[in-house]
Amino acid sequence: SVFDSPFFDQHEYVVSHCCPESGLKAIVAIHNSQLGPAIGGCRMYPYTSGAAALDDALRLSRGMTYKSALAGLPLGGGKSVIIGDPRRHKTPELLKAMAEFINTLNGRYITAEDSGTSVEDMAIMRRTSRYVLGAENLQHIGADPSPYTARGVYLGIRAALAWRGEGDLSGKRVAIQGAGAVGAALCRLLLGAGAHVFVADPDTRRCEALQALGAVVVPVDQVLFWEADVLAPCAMGGVISPATAPKIRATVVAGAANNMLVDGHLADLLADRDILYVPDFAINAGGIMAVYSQYNGETLAELERRLETIPDALNRVFALAESGVSTHVAAERLAAERLGVPVSGPLRR
Ligand code: NAD
């Protein structure tokens, strides 16, 4: 049941929906809407069971609450998941049914794209529901939040290096895992700042495009352990595990990948090795900031000012961590403080 899930954390509202005509099977989880409407992406994934989909919705919606709270946004945390293979099961009828499902929540939950859904899918859903963002080029912000996530990560990497007294990016070595929407944009920003960038992606075409700009392509199975100043995981979650953490050679870990730690306690292991771990949900808030700017009708200049607050939030996290907690726990505490709730423990994957 919802209450038995290891990821249940006093969620406010969890609702499932099944539409046999379109094949839709989906869950919306609203974790907390104390600070505002719950905004979070709509993920489509071939979950092997309903329980796995529920766990993901509960875990991700909690993460959104903490991310928005720490970013200073007047938003709550929510997430939706569609059970199915996006390549085989995604149809306009299914997306319309999902939008109708979201309408039943009357704006308590607002969605945008996520893994397995795209800007084009959001445009289809937007025809049926006004509670769908990430579909239009509003205020010159563009529908895709990825460039803003990359910009936030870039600013965060600079802040982390400055915190360690290592100066600016010029001549620094940064290893990026994943040359997708965020990783590629981050690579371009870093190259522009004079960094030496190493990049790995199983999609070799993506790497080749960045190689042409000056990045060095490295093997996928070695990128996490590359000799570098900064490791930027920008592929999938769970890459920092008890097996990989002891082998990381970078002195700063700062990337976009959500839930990159298999377990929040790994932040302690990294700290013990004198590696500055920049909490994922703090540094990758540029995407939700862009979605919020669309929602709030803000201009690009206002969004850019908001992105510039990411280093401030990180500096607060780093300062609190000096009291002897990991940066991960420090970020959770600062977010919980804004929510006025006790911290229930490190964010689990
Ligand atoms: P994406 O799907 O565009 O790119 C991911 C890339 O990682 C792909 O090119 C894929 O081939 C590559 N990849 C997969 N396995 C790999 C491996 N083992 N080694 C190296 N590369 C591998 O995704 P994205 O939008 O760039 O997002 C990247 C990460 O950032 C995800 O974890 C996502 O949840 C997170 N994130 C993204 C945003 C956003 O705005 N897009 C916002 C917040 C967090």
Side-chain angles (χ1 to χ4, degrees):
S1 81
V2 172
F3 306 111
D4 294 334
S5 165
F7 301 100
F8 178 69
D9 179 48
Q10 310 295 327
H11 284 67
E12 275 174 24
Y13 198 64
V14 182
V15 55
S16 66
H17 178 60
C18 180
C19 167
E21 292 79 31
S22 66
L24 177 71
K25 267 189 180 175
I27 299 170
V28 173
I30 297 175
H31 174 250
N32 188 305
S33 56
Q34 211 173 295
L35 299 174
I39 299 192
C42 173
R43 180 167 288 197
M44 183 162 186
Y45 187 79
Y47 295 102
T48 48
S49 67
L54 174 65
D55 282 352
D56 215 24
L58 295 175
R59 173 178 71 89
L60 294 166
S61 57
R62 181 186 187 275
M64 289 309 298
T65 300
Y66 278 70
K67 185 184 298 202
S68 289
L70 191 65
L73 296 170
L75 296 178
K79 205 86 180 184
S80 56
V81 297
I82 299 176
I83 302 173
D85 183 340
R87 275 168 300 189
R88 293 195 297 134
H89 303 131
K90 196 162 59 184
T91 59
E93 294 72 34
L94 179 137
L95 293 168
K96 182 169 183 285
M98 185 64 192
E100 284 164 354
F101 174 32
I102 288 169
N103 277 343
T104 65
L105 300 169
N106 288 318
R108 278 180 79 178
Y109 168 69
I110 295 166
T111 201
E113 75 265 25
D114 202 272
S115 315
T117 60
S118 64
V119 170
E120 291 74 32
D121 299 335
M122 292 305 118
I124 294 173
M125 287 170 67
R126 176 96 181 162
R127 282 184 222 138
T128 303
S129 174
R130 61 196 178 97
Y131 307 120
V132 175
L133 296 169
E136 290 165 47
N137 191 350
L138 297 172
Q139 306 283 355
H140 310 292
I141 286 173
D144 179 8
S146 310
Y148 304 104
T149 304
R151 170 114 182 108
V153 173
Y154 169 78
L155 295 172
I157 289 175
R158 278 201 337 199
L161 289 171
W163 184 264
R164 289 193 71 118
E166 291 179 21
D168 66 13
L169 274 160
S170 177
K172 293 289 182 314
R173 297 156 304 166
V174 185
I176 305 179
Q177 182 190 42
V182 179
L186 175 64
C187 180
R188 281 187 225 104
L189 291 170
L190 292 167
L191 288 170
H196 300 297
V197 185
F198 304 89
V199 66
D201 198 305
D203 186 335
T204 49
R205 280 167 314 163
R206 290 184 168 176
C207 286
E208 281 158 18
L210 297 172
Q211 196 171 25
L213 300 175
V216 175
V217 179
V218 301
V220 165
D221 60 353
Q222 289 176 32
V223 66
L224 283 179
F225 319 117
W226 205 254
E227 178 92 52
D229 300 292
V230 181
L231 168 66
C234 295
M236 61 285 173
V239 290
I240 302 189
S241 68
T244 59
K247 295 194 275 177
I248 290 173
R249 290 199 279 175
T251 51
V252 171
V253 174
N258 275 315
N259 305 304
M260 67 175 83
L261 303 179
V262 165
D263 182 306
H265 296 105
L266 286 160
D268 294 309
L269 195 150
L270 293 176
D272 289 346
R273 295 192 55 225
D274 199 25
I275 296 172
L276 179 59
Y277 166 68
V278 184
D280 46 15
F281 68 95
I283 195 173
N284 71 14
I288 186 69
M289 286 178 172
V291 169
Y292 174 72
S293 289
Q294 284 192 18
Y295 169 71
N296 205 31
E298 291 182 350
T299 62
L300 186 54
E302 284 169 299
L303 170 56
E304 270 165 7
R305 274 198 294 278
R306 206 180 281 287
L307 292 170
E308 298 281 345
T309 66
I310 289 178
D312 303 333
L314 294 181
N315 285 332
R316 289 201 304 279
V317 169
F318 301 150
L320 180 57
E322 302 233 304
S323 66
V325 293
S326 71
T327 47
H328 178 80
V329 169
E332 286 230 313
R333 281 203 189 153
L334 289 171
E337 214 171 78
R338 183 155 181 250
L339 289 163
V341 296
V343 182
S344 53
L347 195 73
R348 280 169 298 190
R349 198 177 154 235

